[in-house]
Every structure is written in C-alpha cells, then in structure tokens.
Amino acid sequence: MENTFDYDIVTNNPSVKDKYENIIFVDGGFKDVLFKVRDLVHNGAELINHPLGASIRMFFSPYRSIIIREKSEGNSEINKEYYINTIENSIENYNKQMENRNPDVVNSEDYSLIDENLLESAIGEFKRMQN
Amino acid sequence: MRLEQRRIHIKDIQLGNETSVKSGVLTVNKEELISKLKEDKKIKDVKLDVARPGEKTRIIPVKDVIEPRVKIEGDGNGFPGVSTKMAQLGDGKVNILYGAAIVTVGDIVGFQEGVVDMWGEGAKWTPFSSTYNLVVDIIPVEGLKPHDHEAAVRLAGLRAAEYVGEAGRDVEPDEVKVYEMGSHVEEAKKYPNLPKVAYVEMLISQGLLHDGYIYGVNSQLILPTLLHPNEELDGAVISGNCVAACDKITTYQHQNNSSILDLYEQHGKTINFLGVILTPELTTLEGKFRTCDYTTKLCMNLGADGVIVSEEGYGNPDSDLLMICKKLEDNGIKTVLITDECSGRDGMSQPLADTTKEAVAVVSTGNVSHVVKLPPADKVIGNDKAIATLAGGWEGALEEDGSLQCELNAVIGATSEIGYHNLTVKLY
C-alpha cells in the first residue's frame, strides 16, 4: 500500500480504498463524499484538490476521491473561507447537475478506474509542489 | 514569424488503392494506411470508414479530430515532440486538405460519448458534420493499460493525419492565408496607439483522458507559457482530452483556433495582439493559485491592456477561470471570458460553478444542458453501445422509434469555448 504521508483521501471508491493508507472511506455515493468533506473542512481541514471534476461527464460518476489535510497549520482565515466556499459551492453544483440525472452505474467499473487515475495525478501534482 | 496556410479544398474522400488529391477528391490507400498504423504494436486492428456531410451516419465515441496537413517549406512537419522530431513551429508554408478531417474513434472507457451526426438535427450542433471525415477506429491489443490505450489512439490519429496530409504536398492550393507577426517591440512600434491584447487559452490538465500537450509536453507539468500564435496554428498543441465532448478542444480546433484567428484579424486594426498564453487547469487548489498568479504576471509583463480568457471543460476549471479574471481585473487589465454555460435544461440556473463580481464581460458559447432529439442513424461508425450511454442518463431518453434525447454535452464541439462551433447570437 502506498504511504500517503500527511494527507487523507476521502473516497467511496473501493479500488482506491485498497490502494492507499490514510483512507476515510465513505459508504455511499459521490454526494456523501462531498458531505463528508464539507464536515471535515468546517472542522478546519484543508482542501487539497477541487471537489468537482473537469467536465459534466464526471458529475455522473458514482465514485469520487478528494484529498484533504486535517487540521493543517498555517491556514489563514482567507484560506479557510476559500475552502468552505469551494466545498459548499461544489455541493450546490452537484445537486443542480444531478437534478434530472442518475449516477451512471452501468459504467461503474470505468468510473472507478478513471477516479483512481485522476487521484493518482492529483497526488503527483501535490507532491511536485510540496517537495 | 510568417506562416502561409495553403488551403486545398476537399470535396470528397474515397478509399482506394492510392493516396492522392485529384480535382478536390481525396483518395486514401486503405491497406497502406492500416498497415502503417499497425506498426504500433499496441494496435491490433484498424477500421477505416468515410462519413460525408448529409449522410445518415453517426460517429461515436469520437476521441479526437485532426486536420490533415503537410509542411512543404519550413521546419516541423507533423506534430513535433509528439509524432515527429522536435522542431520550431510557426514559420513556413503548409498545405492543408481543407474540408477534410481525421476523426478517431476508440472507446477507452465505457462512458465516453462524443457524438458526430452527419445529417439532420444532430448535424446542426457539431462543426464536424460539415467536414469530409476519414474515421479511424482503433482496436488495441488485449490487456493494454488505459494510459497506453489512450496514447495509442492519440498517436494513431496524428499519424493518420500526417499520412493523409502528405497527399497534398504537390497540389496547388485554392486559397492562401498568411499569418505574420513580429516581436512585441516591432509590433508595438508599428501600432503604438492600439491597445495590447493577450489571449489566455486554458487547457484541462488533470490526468487520464483529461490532458493536453504542447510540443509533446503534458500541460500538467508546465507553468503557464507564452506561444507565438503561429505555433498553435502550426500544430504545437494536441488534445489528449476525451471526456468533455461539447467543450473539449480537439486538435483540429487548436489548429484552427477561432479566438486566435479572430484576434489575428483585428491585429493592426483595433488591437495589437500579443500572443497566446497556454494555461493549465490543474486539480489542486495550490496549483490553481499558482497558475492564476503566474498567468497574471505574464500578462502584466507583456504590458497587456486587455486579455481574452477561454476555458476548457466545466466544474473545477470554472474556479481557475474566475480566479484569473479577478486577479487580472484587480491589476487593471480589462478581461473578457469565453465559456459555455451549464444552466439547466431551461437555461435558468446559474451558468458556472463559481462566480466573481469582476466577471462583467463574458461571452457565452451555449448551454451544455440544452436537450436535443437525435433520430436513429442508418449507419453507426464506432461502437453503437456508446449510444446506450448517451441515452441512458434519465428516464424516457430513448424513444420507441429509436430517437434519443441527449444533452448537448454529448455532442462534439457543440459549445466550443474557443468559439469553433456552429452556435451564434443574433441581435434584433
């Protein structure tokens, strides 16, 4: 298992759960992952990657993995407010997009794979900045 | 830099035993192209087909669209750093098979959509219903990892475009366009009183099926970078993105970037066009902050009075778009945004995933949630299973007569955020 250093991954993706340590596993949908991240961010966690994907298609994913850092030191009030706004806006947007749609469960396996790959890229990006 | 684009008007594509252009008809040697593409050991088989404007043909799932060209003078034939040796692009003469396109199909994952209808209602929404399309369907060897599969399909499209483009090498063009621009110092001397305008083109840069490449460099790895506009028009920017069908920028659209062409058109008349800043849309928030700061710094260093920013995708890139807008405006640079809207089926919801009060000049390229009804096709090129994905989003999407209802987000190039598409606004 990959050591995830000083961050946690909030995910509902079973293949991510098996791959990394420091998992906060959510037994539920994309929306439940967003809710869990919201709770953590309101309690002072730092949002490392953006909660939403980069296209409409990714809203229909049954899986999502979001990186956070719990009780990170050095977060200014401005940053905290930014994280809170970002996760709250993301939830609002998710609800808006899914009003008439259902998660695309037929293609669950592929979404799981893409989520895992995008998470890997996000961790890579994060590490390139921190090291 | 001086780039001469020499357009050979293509009026049909035929599959045959030679590769040539005669009287505007492009003939492609089917067996030779297939065997060339199969030199890549990751590719098991290749199917070639032609889709012409007006035919009741549906192409799905489209991965990329590429314009076939050949460089007849100057460095850099093909796509340097990706499919050919490194070279400086932007200078010379290029022969273009204008009106023809290579369309790659490859279902790397099951949920890809990306539909191009060549006739009827669907044709209205995609710019690639009016090109003669050579469709290249790539079947990979079994057990290929998704990254390798994506790369194989991406490279096969580029190689096919190079192979087909070669047919235009000795053909006299029907039309010649010249794009010429000197250094910033030279242009400022020529047009001292015109406002200086830079173009910021944002690229999704987030991983598998969400990548762009500049001279072969994955844009995830770059700081925002400055290009002479000719470099992009000459093939420096490649699409590796295939999840945002309506608003992803295909390679063809980079080669013919409407924002660049329109700014070029105004250069020396109403503005002094400073060039293109390619800006990655990263996934981490720290990355987004850095990109925003760096993009703004480049614009300020260039002395830009105004900046046009175009987005790619929807969702987290909206944060980049508005952050960059705010920072530019805060620094006194007038900023215009080009983006599509995700404003619900009735068009009444908030269009973007983020807001800022500084975004006061925004060009909308269409509502991705708009629902269209596509009738059944006589012929499907690609994977007809993908149609189920297209139609499977909500109850009642697939009707008894085989028509399907889908949102515009499934249609290739329907709401292009660089403006290379069919939608427009009319003032009454």
Side-chain angles (χ1 to χ4, degrees):
Chain A
M1 267 207 220
E2 191 173 324
N3 184 340
T4 50
F5 300 107
D6 60 343
Y7 54 91
D8 293 311
I9 300 165
V10 184
T11 186
N12 66 339
N13 187 347
S15 52
V16 167
K17 182 187 173 189
D18 296 339
K19 197 173 168 186
Y20 296 95
E21 294 176 353
N22 303 2
I23 291 288
I24 300 172
F25 190 73
V26 175
D27 190 9
F30 190 152
K31 193 172 176 176
D32 300 304
V33 172
L34 293 174
F35 285 160
K36 182 67 189 174
V37 169
R38 180 190 63 187
D39 293 348
L40 292 165
V41 166
H42 276 282
N43 279 317
E46 176 183 356
L47 202 49
I48 302 293
N49 67 334
H50 199 287
L52 300 178
S55 80
I56 282 282
R57 208 3 99 176
M58 297 313 291
F59 277 81
F60 310 149
S61 173
Y63 300 114
R64 182 67 180 160
S65 302
I66 301 168
I67 313 169
I68 57 130
R69 181 154 52 191
E70 287 208 68
K71 305 266 180 196
S72 173
E73 285 181 18
N75 278 347
S76 67
E77 285 305 313
I78 294 172
N79 279 351
K80 280 180 196 161
E81 195 188 324
Y82 188 81
Y83 302 142
I84 289 171
N85 282 340
T86 302
I87 183 65
E88 292 288 358
N89 274 340
S90 298
I91 291 171
E92 206 174 297
N93 267 283
Y94 184 82
N95 288 337
K96 184 181 78 180
Q97 294 314 323
M98 299 310 282
E99 197 182 337
N100 300 306
R101 300 284 301 222
N102 302 316
D104 182 4
V105 289
V106 177
N107 294 297
S108 284
E109 263 182 50
D110 285 325
Y111 281 108
S112 164
L113 177 95
I114 293 295
D115 176 63
E116 192 185 328
N117 270 279
L118 292 177
L119 173 67
E120 202 180 315
S121 289
I123 292 171
E125 191 183 309
F126 175 62
K127 284 185 177 172
R128 280 196 296 277
M129 258 181 304
Q130 298 300 313
N131 293 329
Chain B
M1 284 183 162
R2 184 181 192 278
L3 183 67
E4 201 174 298
Q5 291 198 340
R6 298 151 55 87
R7 292 174 170 178
I8 300 156
H9 292 183
I10 298 299
K11 302 175 193 89
D12 194 14
I13 300 181
Q14 297 286 340
L15 296 175
N17 299 318
E18 60 166 22
T19 300
S20 64
V21 176
K22 285 174 189 159
S23 310
V25 177
L26 167 65
T27 305
V28 177
N29 184 331
K30 190 175 173 181
E31 295 311 316
E32 191 174 75
L33 176 55
I34 289 173
S35 82
K36 192 170 173 58
L37 296 179
K38 281 170 73 176
E39 285 171 12
D40 182 342
K41 296 298 170 217
K42 294 197 279 285
I43 295 174
K44 186 168 113 189
D45 208 357
V46 177
K47 289 189 224 162
L48 294 183
D49 213 328
V50 178
R52 300 174 183 84
E55 291 178 347
K56 284 182 81 173
T57 301
R58 173 165 297 148
I59 316 170
I60 186 170
V62 172
K63 187 186 178 300
D64 198 9
V65 184
I66 308 124
E67 187 166 62
R69 299 171 165 193
V70 61
K71 199 85 181 269
I72 59 162
E73 214 178 282
D75 285 339
N77 188 31
F79 301 93
V82 188
S83 58
T84 55
K85 292 272 186 201
M86 191 50 69
Q88 176 62 58
L89 292 169
D91 268 316
K93 293 180 181 176
V94 59
N95 279 7
I96 298 176
L97 303 186
Y98 184 74
I102 307 298
V103 176
T104 50
V105 175
D107 45 349
I108 295 158
V109 289
F111 58 81
Q112 270 179 263
E113 34 196 15
V115 64
V116 169
D117 273 4
M118 300 303 292
W119 88 107
E121 178 67 15
K124 276 187 357 199
W125 300 96
T126 173
F128 301 111
S129 60
S130 56
T131 46
Y132 288 86
N133 297 327
L134 179 68
V135 187
V136 184
D137 188 354
I138 314 285
I139 298 108
V141 294
E142 274 144 41
L144 206 56
K145 291 201 164 118
H147 275 285
D148 294 329
H149 186 178
E150 187 281 324
V153 178
R154 171 160 37 90
L155 289 176
L158 302 175
R159 288 188 183 122
E162 282 170 29
Y163 170 86
V164 171
E166 194 65 40
R169 183 174 287 278
D170 299 318
V171 181
E172 277 308 304
D174 297 289
E175 173 184 20
V176 178
K177 302 242 173 202
V178 176
Y179 299 98
E180 187 169 14
M181 199 184 284
S183 70
H184 291 143
V185 175
E186 288 164 342
E187 299 300 310
K189 207 179 276 178
K190 271 196 264 178
Y191 312 114
N193 299 320
L194 293 179
K196 296 189 284 300
V197 177
Y199 169 44
V200 172
E201 183 183 6
M202 294 166 50
L203 297 177
I204 296 182
S205 308
Q206 305 193 359
L208 181 60
L209 305 183
H210 292 73
D211 282 327
Y213 298 84
I214 306 157
Y215 286 103
V217 180
N218 187 324
S219 58
Q220 276 181 63
L221 303 173
I222 67 159
L223 289 168
T225 192
L226 177 69
L227 264 73
H228 190 290
N230 286 14
E231 295 179 86
E232 183 162 344
L233 298 179
D234 203 14
V237 190
I238 301 303
S239 169
N241 170 16
C242 34
V243 282
C246 65
D247 53 20
K248 76 173 180 183
I249 310 168
T250 62
T251 300
Y252 188 106
Q253 288 163 306
H254 286 300
Q255 292 170 302
N256 294 281
N257 187 318
S258 307
S259 297
I260 293 178
L261 296 178
D262 285 354
L263 287 163
Y264 235 124
E265 181 63 33
Q266 292 303 316
H267 180 66
K269 295 177 190 164
T270 59
I271 59 164
N272 178 1
F273 181 24
L274 296 169
V276 185
I277 296 164
L278 289 168
T279 288
E281 297 168 355
L282 300 175
T283 179
T284 63
L285 298 184
E286 289 288 307
K288 289 177 185 299
F289 298 152
R290 182 183 64 193
T291 296
C292 171
D293 290 348
Y294 206 97
T295 301
T296 307
K297 182 214 69 183
L298 281 178
C299 293
M300 291 174 71
N301 278 3
L302 289 171
D305 300 302
V307 172
I308 314 279
V309 190
S310 69
E311 189 184 2
E312 185 178 26
Y314 168 83
N316 78 55
D318 293 5
S319 296
D320 302 71
L321 181 78
L322 295 167
M323 221 188 286
I324 290 169
C325 173
K326 178 174 171 37
K327 185 130 192 171
L328 286 169
E329 286 279 347
D330 284 350
N331 283 284
I333 299 175
K334 289 193 191 313
T335 306
V336 175
L337 308 180
I338 313 176
T339 176
D340 54 8
E341 300 180 50
C342 203
S343 45
R345 293 188 182 171
D346 59 4
M348 298 301 281
S349 304
Q350 184 189 311
L352 296 177
D354 207 346
T355 53
T356 182
K357 65 179 169 44
E358 287 78 9
V360 290
V362 183
V363 178
S364 166
T365 59
N367 178 11
V368 308
S369 311
H370 180 79
V371 177
V372 288
K373 187 173 167 181
L374 305 178
D378 285 350
K379 177 180 173 185
V380 175
I381 307 179
N383 183 356
D384 56 7
K385 276 190 208 152
I387 294 172
T389 300
L390 200 64
W394 68 89
E395 282 173 32
L398 198 56
E399 298 186 358
E400 274 179 18
D401 67 352
S403 294
L404 60 91
Q405 291 191 70
C406 71
E407 292 175 0
L408 272 190
N409 68 68
V411 180
I412 290 284
T415 61
S416 165
E417 293 169 290
I418 58 167
Y420 191 98
H421 66 324
N422 294 346
L423 296 183
T424 189
V425 173
K426 276 184 184 167
L427 291 177
Y428 293 97

